[in-house]
Every structure is written in structure tokens, then in C-alpha cells.
Amino acid sequence: MKNNFQHAKNVVRKYYESFDKASDSNLVHVLKEHTTKDYHWRGMHPFYEQYGAEAVVEIFWKPFRESFLPIQRREDMFFAGANDCDDGKTQWVVSVGNLLGLFDTDWLGIPSTGKMIFLRYAEFHRVEGNKIAETALFCDVLSVMDQAGHYPLPPMTGAAFIYPGPRTHDGLLFDEQEPKEAIKTMEVLNKMISDLDEINKSGNDKCPPELLARAWNEDMIWYGPTGIGASYTIERYQKQHQYPFRENLTDKVFNGHIARFAEGNYCGFFGWPNLTNKNKGGFLGLPKSDVEAEMRVVDIYRREGDKLAENWVYIDILYYLYQQGLDVLGRMREMKSK
């Protein structure tokens, strides 16, 4: 199992080494070299699902590179594992960090600044043999808008800044890891998910902090998506995210995950979508809506001892808003044209 994980990680590392150095004219060729013929790619709004190297480069990578060159991949976490969602039949690798570039050309209608910009990302890859068969790239477009001075939503309940990597600076798991540690990490993760399910079934939107403390360290850090922000300690996390989220959203339905895996002290998952819900009114400044809106979410965790210590979260908030009639990027393009 360890050797398989190392192979999968090497496949992704070789891909990054080639793709990040490739010229614009060679991107499709390099991506084809490292992906299967039926390559399936998922991206956040407005990129959505794409198939094949040509479409992925045309829809995402070409416009992004035109706006932000030169680009540095500043990786904070990198790990692999067997997918807990399909009993380990598939193997996944995830890279988490920032893509840094000079914002010299408008992107998605966001006015350029001529200054450096950090694009938060979490990129999942399913490896088959020597190729990448499937990718899910979550990136925080709202963070780019915020850094560029065009934040479009009400003030965040948490703090907004360029998030750091793990406190322990050990998130790059390039080498083999002890399998028993991954088992411990997955047990804590599944315990946390079970506790959340218990809260959902109880209907208690003001769950006591003691319930969270069963799986979380008291000094936990929750790095939420732009639009919500980051929180420190269980008490502030509940005040700044959990309670507003639970009190302002209703009819929550959990749809499961596509991939969920662990290696060492790290674990993560993503769904497409993870859950659906209705907005009672107030969440992200939105009015009440009867739309059963989808939430596509990524969670990356670091375990410390027998509890979770840090959590990096990505939510496709632009898509969540779009489903309820608020086209943030379209509105920005309209404002620019006036």
C-alpha cells in the first residue's frame, strides 16, 4: 500500500514539474502526457466540469496564466491515500497551497492590480497507473477579488488574510508514512463527521462546545473560504461560523463525498456537491430563498494527537450565490463596461 501511494505521489509530482514549467503553447501537450484519454476535470464557478486536456487548458489554465504570469506554486500540504468512499478501490493525491502571480491582466472580469496575488487552491488527483484520470481543482476566486479591492459581499464573520500552512510545517508528505498514523487520522475524521451528523439529527443549532471538543483541540484553527473567513478556538469558531451557518440555513441534506482519504497526520475530502440547503435569509447577505442550493466543499485537516487541530476549507461560494440569482462575476463585468 505504501509503495502504491509513493507511485501515485510521484506521478503527480512529475506532472507538476513538467506542467508548471511548460510554455503556454505546450500546455495541452504536457497535460495530455500526464493524463488519461478520458481525463475528467472539475473546477469551481465559472469553470465547472471539463473533459480532455484541450478543454481544461482553454477554460482554466490559459486565461489564468495570461493574467498572472509568472506563477509560483507555493505548496503547503501534499499527501495521498486510499479512497474511504469506495473501500480503497481508487487512490488520490491532493496538493494544497497558493498559486502566486503578478496580476497584470484582468481575470474573469476582475480588474488587474499590477501587484502580486495569492490564489488559494486545493487540487485533488485520482491516479490510474502512470496517469492522472481525474482532477478536482478548488480555488478561492473571492479571495482574488478581495485582494484586488473588489470584495462584493457583506463583512465576513471571521478574519480574512493569506492563510499559512500547517503550524507544524510538516505538511509535505513526499516520503512514505507509517500506515497506522493514517488509520488514526481517519478514525478522528470519521468521529467528527459522526458528531456533526448527530447535531444535524438533533436539530440543535446551538450545540454545546463540549460536543465539538470530542474531536477538536480547544485551540483549533478553522481557515474558512473568503466570504466567511477564519476562526481561532472552538468558542470563536462556533460564534463566527458554526452558529451563523446552522441558524441561517435549513433543509440541509448531506450528499456524501467523492474522495476522502488520509496519510500520516493529514486527511481531506471533497464532494460534488457535499450538501444542499435552503437559505432562511441572512447567510452571506442573501435574502430568503426556496432554492435547494448545492454546496461544493473541500476540507483538509491536520491531526494532533487524538484530535483535529487545523482545518483548511474551500467552498464554491460563487456557485452557491449564482444558484440564488446573484452572478457576482457577471455584475463585475457589467460595472466595468459602464
Side-chain angles (χ1 to χ4, degrees), residues 2 7 11 19 27-28 33 35 49 53 63 82 103 112 114 133 152 167-168 220 232 263 272 293 315:
K2 290 190 295 183
H7 174 73
V11 168
F19 191 80
L27 287 177
V28 172
E33 279 190 330
T35 56
E49 296 185 72
F103 192 13
S112 60
R167 180 184 181 186
T168 47
M220 64 170 287
Y232 175 44
E263 186 179 26
W272 195 267
I315 302 177

Side-chain angles (χ1 to χ4, degrees), residues 2 37 84 91 104 115 142 145 152 158 170 173 180 186 192 219 224 252 265-266 268 299 305 322 329 334:
K2 290 190 295 183
K37 292 182 179 179
D84 193 53
Q91 294 187 347
D104 285 346
K115 301 177 182 179
L142 269 173
M145 297 182 72
D170 61 356
L173 307 188
K180 291 181 181 179
M186 188 59 70
M192 185 272 297
D219 63 349
K252 302 179 187 71
N265 292 339
Y266 291 86
D299 278 85
Y322 185 76
L329 296 176
E334 290 177 2

Side-chain angles (χ1 to χ4, degrees), residues 199-208 246:
I199 296 171
N200 289 336
K201 290 177 180 177
S202 73
N204 181 9
D205 290 331
K206 285 270 190 179
C207 73
R246 298 195 62 81

Side-chain angles (χ1 to χ4, degrees), residues 45-255:
H45 176 85
F47 311 112
Y48 298 100
E49 296 185 72
Q50 306 297 328
Y51 294 87
E54 293 91 346
V56 174
V57 169
E58 185 65 26
I59 294 296
F60 181 78
W61 286 113
K62 183 179 176 182
F64 177 70
R65 287 168 62 105
E66 287 174 350
S67 294
F68 292 96
L69 278 178
I71 295 170
Q72 287 186 11
R73 183 182 298 273
R74 302 180 67 86
E75 202 169 41
D76 294 315
M77 285 162 281
F78 182 88
F79 60 93
N83 189 0
D84 193 53
C85 298
D86 60 14
D87 297 323
K89 293 178 182 177
T90 56
Q91 294 187 347
W92 289 77
V93 180
V94 65
S95 170
V96 182
N98 289 276
L99 297 173
L100 166 65
L102 293 173
F103 192 13
D104 285 346
T105 302
D106 295 359
W107 185 57
L108 302 176
I110 306 169
S112 60
T113 63
K115 301 177 182 179
M116 60 193 299
I117 289 282
F118 287 80
L119 177 65
R120 294 181 64 223
Y121 79 89
E123 191 170 29
F124 291 77
H125 302 284
R126 177 170 63 84
V127 175
E128 283 186 1
N130 297 320
K131 303 279 188 177
I132 297 170
E134 190 174 351
T135 295
L137 174 59
F138 285 71
C139 57
D140 197 338
V141 178
L142 269 173
S143 176
V144 173
M145 297 182 72
D146 188 30
Q147 293 171 68
H150 297 281
Y151 181 67
L153 300 176
M156 287 175 256
T157 51
F161 52 95
I162 304 301
Y163 298 154
R167 180 184 181 186
T168 47
H169 303 283
D170 61 356
L172 299 175
L173 307 188
F174 296 143
D175 298 326
E176 292 185 5
Q177 304 295 310
E178 172 55 56
K180 291 181 181 179
E181 294 302 313
I183 294 173
K184 291 179 184 178
T185 303
M186 188 59 70
E187 287 176 349
V188 175
L189 174 62
N190 287 332
K191 174 179 172 53
M192 185 272 297
I193 293 173
S194 176
D195 288 345
L196 286 179
D197 185 55
E198 182 180 321
I199 296 171
N200 289 336
K201 290 177 180 177
S202 73
N204 181 9
D205 290 331
K206 285 270 190 179
C207 73
E210 292 80 14
L211 183 57
L212 267 67
R214 288 172 10 187
W216 290 95
N217 282 345
E218 177 58 39
D219 63 349
M220 64 170 287
I221 304 178
W222 189 83
Y223 301 106
T226 305
I228 299 174
S231 298
Y232 175 44
T233 74
I234 288 177
E235 186 269 333
R236 293 300 169 87
Y237 164 74
Q238 290 192 295
K239 178 181 179 181
Q240 296 170 352
H241 172 62
Q242 187 185 46
Y243 291 160
F245 184 89
R246 298 195 62 81
E247 291 173 344
N248 292 315
L249 300 177
T250 187
D251 295 340
K252 302 179 187 71
V253 177
F254 176 59
N255 300 299

